[in-house]
Amino acid sequence: MIMHSIIPNELIFGGFPGSIENNFKEMEYLGVRVQVSQSSNNTLVIQRVISTSPKAYLNPKLQPGMSIE
Amino acid sequence: MTFGKAAVEGEQQEQAKEQKLDNIACIKDLGCSTITNPKGNIHCLTIIGQIEGHIVLPPQNKTTKYEHVIPQLVAIEENNEIDGLLLILNTVGGDVEAGLAIAEMVASMSKPTVSLILGGGHSIGVPMAVSTNHSFIAPSATMTIHPLRLNGLIVGVPQTYEYFDKMQERVVQFVSKNSKITKERFRELMLKTGELANDVGTVLFGEEAVKNGIIDSVGGLSDALAKLYELIRKKRESITAVNSDGGGGIQ
């Protein structure tokens, strides 16, 4: 892989403990692809909307931080 | 007697109201975009942070993943309800192959496309910025043009340089093909000394990027949207012109 970036490679790959385990996962919600994380009380919280439709970003139910029942 | 007329009007109003409620319900419940804008429906793709390609980057990087972007581009090209694409870039670069893949996808789309660089469109962000029909850059945005680097083990032979040059040529060729800058001038900017602290290359501000012919114009969101709607209108007009031609002529 060739990186072509203004960020030095040591910053991109540095301080990396060797595991990319995080509790993010992707799912479809209300017909839109979202990245969610598991919160402490076992609900899913929206972290990021992955869509090109501007309307998906206007939907209050899809705002980052909203929980999914 | 106005009873009958009023009743019809009342019914029409009721229908219009119902339609509006249906539309709102559709957005709220399904996130669908069936409401049509007479100027054309646009979709917006944001390219932010690092472009992530074949290797998953460590979590401290904010990334745009090509496995998200490529199917979205296919969906935009395929969906009859979408008339144009606005590409918003604020990227520090990333994987060459992934960046070029996205750029080639956008360049080969048949629907009108407009890009807008805000903040930065560096390194591999340059081919992505020029891949659209028309490109805009915010006056305060910058573009860094510099040579590729290779990480990992490098064999100290002249062939390594040749290989580098070949990889770089892909970027140079794409940019010169999709913008007004010549290959020679782009290479010159790429290898310029005295501009960057620890690298060769050039930092271009909005105005300079336009002057060098990489980007078409300096502008903001409203300029980019106005241009996109203009391209959509022109495309619709050309389709109508072809259709009213009878469609039976020699193409």
Side-chain angles (χ1 to χ4, degrees), chain B residues 22 35 37-38 40 43 63 75 87 95 105 114 128-129 134 136 142 145 159 172 215 239 250:
Chain B
D22 273 357
I35 299 171
N37 177 347
H43 265 212
T63 62
L87 192 69
D95 189 309
M105 289 280 283
V114 168
M128 278 189 275
H134 196 96
F136 283 94
T142 57
I145 296 157
Q159 285 86 337
V172 174
I215 299 297
I239 289 170
I250 297 161

Side-chain angles (χ1 to χ4, degrees), chain B residues 149-223:
Chain B
R149 298 192 199 94
L150 196 69
N151 47 313
L153 188 72
I154 294 169
V155 188
V157 290
Q159 285 86 337
T160 302
Y161 173 74
E162 291 287 320
Y163 176 72
F164 254 144
D165 208 38
K166 244 182 174 169
M167 293 300 110
Q168 210 157 272
E169 192 58 22
R170 299 157 78 189
V171 177
V172 174
Q173 263 183 17
F174 186 89
V175 173
S176 66
K177 222 174 88 183
N178 289 281
S179 71
K180 291 189 230 46
I181 197 168
T182 60
K183 275 187 202 174
E184 292 69 33
R185 177 72 185 139
F186 193 69
R187 256 191 233 113
E188 198 182 298
L189 291 174
M190 218 178 209
L191 302 173
K192 204 168 165 187
T193 53
E195 288 240 349
L196 301 180
N198 55 356
D199 204 346
V200 291
T202 317
V203 180
L204 296 175
F205 287 170
E207 195 78 45
E208 290 169 309
V210 175
K211 229 180 267 166
N212 279 290
I214 299 175
I215 299 297
D216 296 314
S217 11
V218 174
L221 182 58
S222 59
D223 303 296

Side-chain angles (χ1 to χ4, degrees), chain B residues 219-240:
Chain B
L221 182 58
S222 59
D223 303 296
L225 283 175
K227 184 72 195 175
L228 186 53
Y229 286 130
E230 184 198 319
L231 291 173
I232 291 171
R233 200 196 66 229
K234 275 189 188 152
K235 198 181 173 212
R236 281 179 179 170
E237 278 170 7
S238 70
I239 289 170
T240 335

Side-chain angles (χ1 to χ4, degrees), chain B residues 104-168:
Chain B
E104 288 283 7
M105 289 280 283
V106 174
S108 57
M109 277 173 82
S110 68
K111 288 183 179 170
T113 51
V114 168
S115 65
L116 172 61
I117 306 168
L118 302 161
H122 309 287
S123 319
I124 202 70
V126 179
M128 278 189 275
V130 302
S131 65
T132 51
N133 299 135
H134 196 96
S135 50
F136 283 94
I137 185 164
S140 64
T142 57
M143 298 181 96
T144 309
I145 296 157
H146 65 125
L148 303 187
R149 298 192 199 94
L150 196 69
N151 47 313
L153 188 72
I154 294 169
V155 188
V157 290
Q159 285 86 337
T160 302
Y161 173 74
E162 291 287 320
Y163 176 72
F164 254 144
D165 208 38
K166 244 182 174 169
M167 293 300 110
Q168 210 157 272

